[in-house]
Amino acid sequence: MGIMDSKIPSGPLADKWTKHKNDINLVNPANKRNIDVIVVGTGLAGGAAAATLAELGYNVKTFCYQDSPRRAHSIAAQGGINAAKNYQGDGDSNYRLFYDTIKGGDYRSREANVYRLAEVSGNIIDQCVAQGVPFAREYGGMLDNRSFGGVLVSRTFYAKGQTGQQLLLGAYSAMNRQINRGKIQAYNRHEMMDLVLVDGKARGIIARDLVSGEIERHSAHAVVLATGGYGNVFFLSTNAMGSNVMAAWRAHRKGAFFANPCFTQIHPTCIPVSGEHQSKLTLMSESLRNDGRIWVPKKMEDAVAIREGKLKPTQLAEEDRDYYLERRYPAFGNLVPRDVASRAAKERCDAGFGVNKTGEAVYLDFASAIKRYGKEKALTSGLKNPDEATIIKLGEEVIEAKYGNLFQMYEKIVDENPYKTPMMIYPAVHYTMGGLWVDYNLQTTIPGCYAAGEANFSDHGANRLGASALMQGLADGYFVLPYTIGDYLSHDIRTGKIPTDSAAFDEAEKQVRDRMEKLMGGSGIHSVDYYHKKLGKIMWNKCGMARNAKELEEAVKEISDLRKDFWENVKVPGTIDSKNQELEKAGRVADFLELGELFAKDALHRNESCGGHFREEYQTEEGEALRDDKNFKYVAAWEFAGEPKDAKLHKEDLVYDNIELKTRSYK
């Protein structure tokens, strides 16, 4: 059984990280040359960790299933990255970023971790600027900032709508330098199939070459999992199609506790579902809510007319529009947190005011911003009394400079010009706040196995604020893990190379082969996607934006039955020892079928609403989340016990010494 010890340092909150760095053990440079580290996943967290560990002198092996680390899902992040630099002079500080993150997570995250995140956030921006990341700049040359949901300051640094891509290229360039030096061995198109434990410690992985099908053994003194989230358990999500839970779930089955799996974020601004044959959803950045106003028609008859194509949104008078976020949350308006905005959109659509053919969409309208920016640009350009056409043209130029690639992407997918007609958006699964349980050092309950970025649970509580995913990934990779892993590795300076010709590796490889043969042994009635889609419908309908005890109980049973049917009847063509993409998918969906059941079990046990976990039985009179701090102010960490329904619950009580718990309000 794993032991849950959060290892949170004593002392004042603002001093914990500094004190901890001074207290932990170090590995001297000469000894680092003799220590191997495996990093699985090469997105922002994994790429940053690999580059930094190699720069420090460790021998690093990286693994990713993509053909290049540049294709990690981190590339899809659009809107920006938070940091408490207070460039706008609007009152930001480390404490304010810490407070907003705790409050945004509905008081379900660990104080010490979140404060550390805020504390190192400024260093991330300096690091990335030094790497050449082309952040947007103001007229005077200073880095520009914009606002994101759930905060009252502008702290989000951005590169148009391509922030994730630019940050990933920075981390990738740092990795390439180490690859060129021989300090990183990169294994692209390789998938981790299992974690290898030797004497209870993580000492390597079993990997599969996805091109040749060959099974490989790789040893190390420690293993870092930076493999992202598990949103694809819903089938339709904003995640890349290949995003999966396999590495984390393999570790979970070997003893790593899985924390808060039901804490999953529904993003409010995604392109709506278009049909049954769709394989993924596309995100429209939350940054658009800076300038876009969200609305639906006030009158039911107008909503019906729009759905039937008899009325265009541009024909609806201003007084006939319901800007419902501005109406319900005047202090934050369109910049409320994602969980609040998502539930509000669902409520309006469920009430019959949705605006697309399915009735599951609301408008995101830029007409007001275009006119506002156009007037401002006309004045600064010396144009007196410009006509409306000139104002609109100038305003569109400003919007294009800020969000141009996002508007272009929307038009290519929907075939409508968002400069001329409002975007249509609807909530979709986006990010997972749950993940492997880690202590303050980012170590799981398996000694030597670390989890970074979205793969761990540590910083976002029950809801992640926008632009905090990139911040956490880079904080973990550049500024946290490289310090804390040394404390563990300091005990391995005399261990020597970990051999792969051992009983532990033999057994792990055998288990991998047996599992693949079992996957290939189904009767062949249904495809892998058939099961993934069925799982996704159960998850969305019964574990999605709103949950209740009855449907969660049904979900547990339905997923269990579906998993049994999957193992008996799935069709996986081809062979094990060759390129086989259906076999890849089958292994991932098999893990999703176990995770889905634990997800429902976790949501069922948490009899409260908080953040992205909304139980219909627990809500205020205004329809907001109703927390139960007396009974559920803890991290739910689940220990594997054979079947997901038998998982054993461990609780990490959350202590708030520096923040007063309040009913979360954005009014």
Side-chain angles (χ1 to χ4, degrees):
M1 184 183 98
I3 298 173
M4 254 189 5
D5 175 7
S6 60
K7 296 187 175 67
I8 297 171
S10 59
L13 186 65
D15 298 336
K16 286 182 186 292
W17 179 229
T18 301
K19 178 180 184 297
H20 191 63
K21 287 189 292 184
N22 290 335
D23 290 346
I24 58 178
N25 295 315
L26 301 176
V27 180
N28 84 43
N31 287 328
K32 285 173 183 161
R33 294 194 292 267
N34 301 318
I35 292 179
D36 304 322
V37 180
I38 284 173
V39 179
V40 185
T42 51
L44 283 180
T52 309
L53 291 168
E55 182 75 43
L56 288 171
Y58 296 106
N59 306 310
V60 179
K61 286 183 178 182
T62 62
F63 295 81
C64 70
Y65 66 77
Q66 301 94 341
D67 52 9
S68 165
R70 289 176 300 168
R71 293 180 66 84
H73 185 59
S74 301
I75 202 171
Q78 297 167 345
I81 177 171
N82 289 330
K85 280 185 168 287
N86 196 33
Y87 278 8
Q88 302 301 313
D90 55 1
D92 204 7
S93 64
N94 286 348
Y95 183 85
R96 174 63 65 179
L97 175 52
F98 155 74
Y99 175 78
D100 286 343
T101 305
I102 292 277
K103 178 187 175 186
D106 219 353
Y107 306 96
R108 290 295 177 263
S109 44
R110 196 190 276 157
E111 267 196 351
N113 287 64
V114 177
Y115 193 88
R116 174 175 65 187
L117 178 66
E119 195 176 348
V120 304
S121 65
N123 294 341
I124 298 170
I125 305 304
D126 297 339
Q127 166 90 359
C128 294
V129 169
Q131 289 174 339
V133 173
F135 287 120
R137 293 180 180 267
E138 294 178 325
Y139 177 77
M142 293 287 285
L143 298 182
D144 195 14
N145 292 128
R146 57 189 178 200
S147 296
F148 259 62
V151 303
L152 292 172
V153 298
S154 292
R155 65 162 67 99
T156 304
F157 296 78
Y158 65 98
K160 239 181 183 180
Q162 312 168 341
T163 314
Q165 179 181 10
Q166 299 302 333
L167 292 172
L168 186 61
L169 289 172
Y172 180 59
S173 66
M175 278 183 65
N176 269 343
R177 180 172 180 270
Q178 301 306 322
I179 291 170
N180 192 50
R181 292 180 63 221
K183 294 302 292 180
I184 291 179
Q185 287 180 268
Y187 292 86
N188 300 344
R189 298 293 289 140
H190 280 67
E191 184 159 47
M192 173 183 155
M193 306 300 290
D194 211 347
L195 184 70
V196 181
L197 272 55
V198 179
D199 297 328
K201 296 180 179 180
R203 292 302 199 189
I205 65 170
I206 304 297
R208 183 170 182 267
D209 184 327
L210 298 180
V211 177
S212 69
E214 184 180 351
I215 305 298
E216 301 174 0
R217 304 178 181 191
H218 296 273
S219 67
H221 297 90
V223 176
V224 178
L225 304 181
T227 49
Y230 48 87
N232 277 352
V233 70
F234 287 82
F235 186 70
L236 283 180
S237 81
T238 66
N239 286 207
M241 286 294 291
S243 297
N244 64 84
V245 77
M246 181 177 282
W249 197 254
R250 295 294 100 195
H252 172 58
R253 290 178 65 97
K254 285 292 178 76
F257 293 178
F258 209 100
N260 298 337
C262 77
F263 286 172
T264 303
Q265 182 170 83
I266 312 293
H267 198 294
T269 51
C270 299
I271 297 177
V273 175
S274 61
E276 279 293 312
H277 299 292
Q278 196 164 349
S279 57
K280 79 175 299 294
L281 297 173
T282 302
L283 173 70
M284 288 285 101
S285 169
E286 182 176 319
S287 63
L288 295 173
R289 290 199 278 148
N290 270 286
D291 290 310
R293 299 177 72 194
I294 296 173
W295 64 273
V296 293
K298 279 184 181 177
K299 301 172 186 173
M300 183 70 72
E301 56 266 31
D302 288 339
V304 172
I306 286 174
R307 287 200 293 271
E308 293 176 349
K310 298 175 182 176
L311 182 68
K312 293 181 179 179
T314 50
Q315 295 174 322
L316 208 61
E318 188 75 9
E319 61 269 20
D320 293 326
R321 301 178 180 192
D322 178 14
Y323 295 95
Y324 58 87
L325 291 178
E326 297 171 28
R327 169 173 57 82
R328 290 178 61 176
Y329 309 101
F332 285 76
N334 294 295
L335 285 173
V336 291
R338 291 173 176 177
D339 61 315
V340 177
S342 293
R343 283 196 296 275
K346 182 178 187 295
E347 184 275 328
R348 288 289 79 197
C349 290
D350 288 350
F353 293 93
V355 295
N356 69 346
K357 289 180 181 178
T358 66
E360 294 186 325
V362 299
Y363 285 127
L364 181 62
D365 194 336
F366 291 85
S368 297
I370 287 170
K371 289 182 180 178
R372 184 177 73 250
Y373 284 127
K375 289 176 182 176
E376 183 181 319
K377 190 168 183 180
L379 286 171
T380 57
S381 301
L383 297 176
K384 294 183 178 179
N385 301 318
D387 59 24
E388 186 165 332
T390 301
I391 289 172
I392 289 173
K393 180 177 180 295
L394 292 173
E396 287 178 352
E397 289 174 0
V398 175
I399 292 291
E400 197 278 333
K402 296 179 76 171
Y403 311 112
N405 63 304
L406 298 173
F407 277 53
Q408 183 184 41
M409 184 166 66
Y410 180 88
E411 186 169 7
K412 282 186 178 243
I413 293 170
V414 180
D415 196 26
E416 284 187 356
N417 183 348
Y419 293 100
K420 305 301 182 187
T421 190
M423 287 183 179
M424 286 189 292
I425 57 167
Y426 194 70
V429 173
H430 179 58
Y431 187 90
T432 52
M433 286 77 66
L436 292 176
W437 184 92
V438 292
D439 62 18
Y440 191 70
N441 292 330
L442 304 186
Q443 186 171 223
T444 69
T445 47
I446 298 175
C449 179
Y450 290 76
E454 193 178 355
N456 73 37
F457 87 99
S458 65
D459 292 350
H460 306 299
N463 174 59
R464 176 176 68 78
L465 290 183
S468 287
L470 304 184
M471 175 175 62
Q472 187 214 347
L474 291 181
D476 286 357
Y478 283 137
F479 298 109
V480 178
L481 187 74
Y483 282 108
T484 60
I485 200 170
D487 188 48
Y488 173 81
L489 293 173
S490 65
H491 302 289
D492 272 322
I493 59 176
R494 293 189 180 89
T495 300
K497 203 82 173 170
I498 307 295
T500 58
D501 57 346
S502 65
F505 275 88
D506 290 344
E507 178 60 25
E509 182 176 336
K510 181 180 182 301
Q511 289 176 1
V512 167
R513 289 189 179 276
D514 289 348
R515 183 171 187 261
M516 288 194 295
E517 287 172 2
K518 187 178 178 184
L519 284 167
M520 307 276 303
S523 67
I525 296 176
H526 300 298
S527 69
V528 175
D529 279 348
Y530 166 87
Y531 289 101
H532 198 176
K533 287 179 180 179
K534 285 185 80 73
L535 172 64
K537 285 187 182 296
I538 296 169
M539 295 299 296
W540 180 251
N541 292 332
K542 299 185 177 181
C543 310
M545 274 198 281
R547 304 150 185 188
N548 60 64
K550 177 179 177 291
E551 291 186 340
L552 287 169
E553 287 170 354
E554 292 170 356
V556 170
K557 184 179 187 310
E558 287 173 19
I559 295 169
S560 179
D561 292 344
L562 184 65
R563 186 171 68 253
K564 183 175 182 291
D565 185 54
F566 169 86
W567 282 104
E568 291 175 357
N569 296 314
V570 70
K571 177 180 176 62
V572 182
T575 63
I576 291 173
D577 298 314
S578 64
K579 182 177 179 180
N580 190 337
Q581 292 183 304
E582 279 301 297
L583 180 59
E584 294 168 33
K585 283 198 295 184
R588 297 165 189 171
V589 171
D591 286 337
F592 279 140
L593 284 163
E594 292 187 2
L595 167 71
E597 186 176 334
L598 183 65
F599 185 121
K601 179 184 174 78
D602 184 47
L604 183 61
H605 113 276
R606 188 171 282 276
N607 293 321
E608 65 164 352
S609 291
C610 56
H613 169 63
F614 190 76
R615 284 282 296 271
E616 293 171 345
E617 306 97 317
Y618 307 101
Q619 55 182 299
T620 65
E621 291 181 2
E622 294 82 20
E624 305 294 349
L626 184 62
R627 292 196 325 268
D628 182 351
D629 293 332
K630 181 180 179 182
N631 296 305
F632 290 97
K633 194 181 63 175
Y634 60 74
V635 176
W638 298 92
E639 180 183 1
F640 183 74
E643 290 283 327
K645 63 181 175 59
D646 300 324
K648 182 180 178 183
L649 175 63
H650 299 262
K651 300 177 182 179
E652 179 198 342
D653 292 328
L654 294 168
V655 178
Y656 294 104
D657 292 328
N658 300 275
I659 280 182
E660 180 185 354
L661 273 69
K662 301 176 181 177
T663 300
R664 196 176 58 147
S665 173
Y666 290 93
K667 295 181 179 179

